[in-house]
Amino acid sequence: MRGASRLRVPRYAVRPLELRWRLAASVAVVLIVSSAVTFIAVYRGTGSQLRHQIDTELAGDADVLGHTLASSRARSTSALQNVASGYIRAQPFSASSTLLFVILPGTAPVTNRPELFSPQSADDGESDAQQAEENGLAALLLRAGTGYVTVQMPDIGKLRLLRRTVRVPARGSMPARTVTVGVGEPLATVSRAQDVVSRAFLLAGLIALAGALLAALAIGTRLSNPLRRMAAVAAEIDAGDLHHRIHETDRGAREVRVLAEAFNHMLDRLADAFAGQRAFVADASHELRTPLTVIQGQLEVLAAQRHPPPEEIRRVEQLVQAEVSRITRLVDDLLLLARSEQTAFLRIESVPLERFVTELWDSFTLLEDKRSFELGPLPAGTLQADPDRLAQALRNLVGNAIAHTTPGSGRVLLHVERGVPGWVRFVVQDDGPGIPEDQRELVFERFHRTDTGRARASGGAGLGLAIVRAIAEAHHGRVRATAGALGGARIELELPGFMAAPRPLERPEPHATNA
Ligand SMILES: Nc1ncnc2c1ncn2[C@@H]1O[C@H](COP(=O)(O)OP(=O)(O)OP(=O)(O)O)[C@@H](O)[C@H]1O
Ligand SMILES: [Mg+2]
């Protein structure tokens, strides 16, 4: 049995990841995604920033070259060509990295890279395909048109090229001419910078990822430790051993402490409930066993006699009858208490209070005429209640009062009063020995009796007041025992749902009139 009630950890087809690994995986995903977004932004930003810088430099170079040509004192085309080649030669650029050219219509281009402009056949080490590509490039460079273009150069790679036209005014024998100037700069610096950015990002990203994973694992382990401890405690709990508790230090996270407290509180309540349940079952079995033992004993006595006299049979029959009805009552009471915990325990209806109490009181007093019964004035109105259960509760209270008063002289009182608005109070009092002050709470417990010996002799199991309390609570009401004015017990049963009847309209007194 103990094993059967042990808490089981559900089995999953795929074992779920531990909290710390989930945390680490989440951190890794977030870090990778955010790094990727940042990397793309920085990578592209670096590229466009450098390209912009190159374009500005090219514009400046083209301006200077154009201005040199336009403002030269050359009076012939060949003199202008000399100015151009002089300018190009004077530039500090290394020939492999920068391209400069000037095209005067009708003449060969002046440039620092003449091989790019003259279509040739394949020379040493070059394939026909490579040479064809170079020739295509030459045609592209010679083509008219202005503005920026990016071209693929065979040795340099990508080249940013700015082409402009410059108007050289007529001077000497030379008519005014439109000259094309071109300035080019390789984009290798851009891709180099982007490579540096990529490498830096990769390195920093890997270091950050490793650090974040370790930190996430450490945090995850720290966070999940209390949960693991709770799971261990939960696994140790079974119906027989509810003594384990989680001891969370004050240094732990607030949520964890709250959870641990709630968990411990739940265990306290479970322990109480189990203890109550065990006591209830033990008491119930004990109460049932007593009449069963009596029946068995009497039947054995009868069986031992070969020819029992008829009066002996009658005596045993009466005894067995009494014990059976005692068992029946006990079982009914137990069933009622069990049902009182279900939601559909009551059948609420509008109970006309005056008629209900009067009829009930008559039924009590008809059977018991050896005591003085007093019923106080009844408030007019209706009560939202289950009449059968309410009758049962009052019957239990009056039954107790009768049981604890002396036949012939005992007094039993029932008062029904209006309490706070919407509430009604039933007060049952007697002049018996009363309930000792320290027992006034306990008498509402199941199977609790103040005087066990006498109660058992009178047949009471100690369930009557527990049933009254269950009925009161099912009606959202309350019940309590106090010291009565008659010296005996005084039990108050208070219920909500009372609606007073409207008072009948008072008729105005007819005025005396003088005839
Ligand atoms: N009017 C009373 N005067 C004195 N003691 C009372 C009175 N009513 C109840 N008690 C005490 O409270 C105990 C619990 O009452 P309760 O009605 O629950 O049980 P019972 O009367 O002993 O048994 P049952 O009602 O199940 O037949 C009683 O055993 C008795 O000791
Ligand atoms: Mg009773």
Side-chain angles (χ1 to χ4, degrees):
M1 266 317 280
R2 282 167 70 92
S5 54
R6 190 175 276 277
L7 289 176
R8 286 178 197 284
V9 179
R11 287 177 187 281
Y12 299 94
V14 180
R15 231 178 128 211
L17 268 186
E18 277 183 29
L19 180 69
R20 52 191 165 162
W21 289 111
R22 277 171 188 252
L23 190 68
S26 311
V27 167
V29 168
V30 169
L31 198 75
I32 288 171
V33 169
S34 58
S35 303
V37 171
T38 318
F39 169 73
I40 291 169
V42 172
Y43 187 86
R44 295 178 71 134
T46 310
S48 60
Q49 165 75 27
L50 287 177
R51 261 192 291 274
H52 179 73
Q53 202 177 324
I54 286 173
D55 285 357
T56 316
E57 279 172 20
L58 288 178
D61 287 352
D63 276 352
V64 176
L65 176 54
H67 182 73
T68 307
L69 293 176
S71 59
S72 74
R73 292 174 191 282
R75 292 171 168 272
S76 65
T77 303
S78 61
L80 194 60
Q81 271 184 308
N82 287 340
V83 171
S85 61
Y87 176 86
I88 288 171
R89 264 200 310 279
Q91 291 311 305
F93 309 125
S94 87
S96 65
S97 64
T98 301
L99 172 67
L100 280 169
F101 61 87
V102 176
I103 301 167
L104 289 147
T107 65
V110 182
T111 175
N112 57 345
R113 298 289 302 270
E115 77 280 4
L116 293 176
F117 290 86
S118 45
Q120 291 160 2
S121 54
D123 44 338
D124 288 348
E126 274 186 336
S127 68
D128 285 347
Q130 277 173 326
Q131 191 55 55
E133 197 188 320
E134 281 180 20
N135 292 347
L137 187 68
L140 183 82
L141 292 175
L142 286 170
R143 210 167 45 216
T146 56
Y148 290 99
V149 280
T150 303
V151 290
Q152 183 69 36
M153 303 284 284
D155 306 325
I156 305 172
K158 277 191 177 162
L159 184 89
R160 189 75 171 151
L161 185 70
L162 172 61
R163 231 183 342 221
R164 279 218 180 130
T165 50
V166 181
R167 185 100 183 123
V168 180
R171 218 174 271 135
S173 63
M174 188 182 70
R177 313 204 60 164
T178 300
V179 181
T180 303
V181 298
V183 199
E185 203 171 319
L187 287 175
T189 46
V190 177
S191 43
R192 264 202 301 278
Q194 284 179 325
D195 283 351
V196 170
V197 166
S198 309
R199 269 198 299 277
F201 251 93
L202 196 67
L203 188 69
L206 284 178
I207 292 171
L209 189 65
L213 280 179
L214 285 178
L217 273 179
I219 293 170
T221 309
R222 208 180 131 87
L223 282 181
S224 59
N225 270 346
L227 297 181
R228 255 196 289 276
R229 281 199 293 277
M230 277 181 218
V233 171
E236 277 169 18
I237 288 167
D238 62 24
D241 186 8
L242 288 163
H243 296 105
H244 293 276
R245 294 292 181 272
I246 295 165
H247 302 288
E248 270 313 304
T249 55
D250 284 348
R251 286 183 301 132
R254 200 166 144 251
E255 291 85 347
V256 172
R257 261 186 298 141
V258 170
L259 184 62
E261 276 167 24
F263 192 81
N264 287 343
H265 184 57
M266 182 191 76
L267 288 181
D268 289 345
R269 279 184 311 172
L270 263 182
D272 285 353
F274 272 122
Q277 201 74 24
R278 268 200 296 268
F280 181 66
V281 171
D283 285 342
S285 327
H286 181 74
E287 290 300 327
L288 283 169
R289 201 168 36 199
T290 313
L292 286 174
T293 313
V294 173
I295 292 172
Q296 193 185 15
Q298 292 301 322
L299 290 177
E300 278 170 4
V301 168
L302 204 60
Q305 302 172 37
R306 189 175 276 261
H307 299 293
E311 57 275 16
E312 176 66 358
I313 296 177
R314 174 94 17 91
R315 188 191 65 80
V316 171
E317 186 202 332
Q318 278 170 356
L319 240 161
V320 169
Q321 281 278 11
E323 294 303 324
V324 166
S325 53
R326 197 169 137 165
I327 293 174
T328 312
R329 228 194 78 186
L330 190 66
V331 170
D332 285 348
D333 284 356
L334 288 174
L335 275 178
L336 186 114
L337 278 173
R339 252 184 279 146
S340 73
E341 280 155 21
Q342 296 167 1
T343 41
F345 172 53
L346 297 180
R347 252 179 283 163
I348 299 284
E349 52 188 82
S350 277
V351 180
L353 201 61
E354 280 173 300
R355 205 178 70 214
F356 172 79
V357 176
T358 317
E359 284 174 12
L360 192 68
W361 188 249
D362 287 349
S363 73
F364 296 155
T365 50
L366 267 180
L367 295 175
E368 276 287 338
D369 55 357
K370 294 188 207 73
R371 283 168 182 79
S372 141
F373 287 97
E374 293 163 41
L375 176 65
L378 297 170
T382 55
L383 180 65
Q384 293 299 314
D386 181 329
D388 294 340
R389 300 291 175 229
L390 180 55
Q392 183 168 12
L394 291 174
R395 209 176 292 127
N396 284 1
L397 295 181
V398 173
N400 279 350
I402 291 170
H404 292 89
T405 45
T406 330
S409 63
R411 286 177 69 193
V412 178
L413 264 62
L414 171 63
H415 282 273
V416 186
E417 307 160 353
R418 289 178 64 173
V420 283
W423 284 67
V424 71
R425 189 187 304 127
F426 300 87
V427 184
V428 179
Q429 292 188 76
D430 62 61
D431 65 349
I435 303 171
E437 204 172 337
D438 60 336
Q439 299 279 314
R440 286 184 190 149
E441 262 296 310
L442 296 172
V443 286
F444 294 99
E445 302 283 324
R446 294 164 181 195
F447 297 111
H448 186 88
R449 285 172 293 221
T450 51
D451 178 353
T452 332
R454 202 191 58 152
R456 200 158 276 153
S458 70
L463 289 176
L465 289 181
I467 289 174
V468 175
R469 185 169 67 177
I471 291 172
E473 285 173 358
H475 281 90
H476 307 292
R478 51 190 173 238
V479 63
R480 64 193 182 119
T482 57
L486 303 181
R490 174 189 154 103
I491 313 279
E492 291 180 10
L493 167 65
E494 286 181 286
L495 297 183
F498 177 67
M499 209 160 83
R503 284 191 191 165
L505 286 176
E506 283 178 17
R507 289 224 190 107
E509 288 280 318
H511 290 287
T513 47
N514 291 328

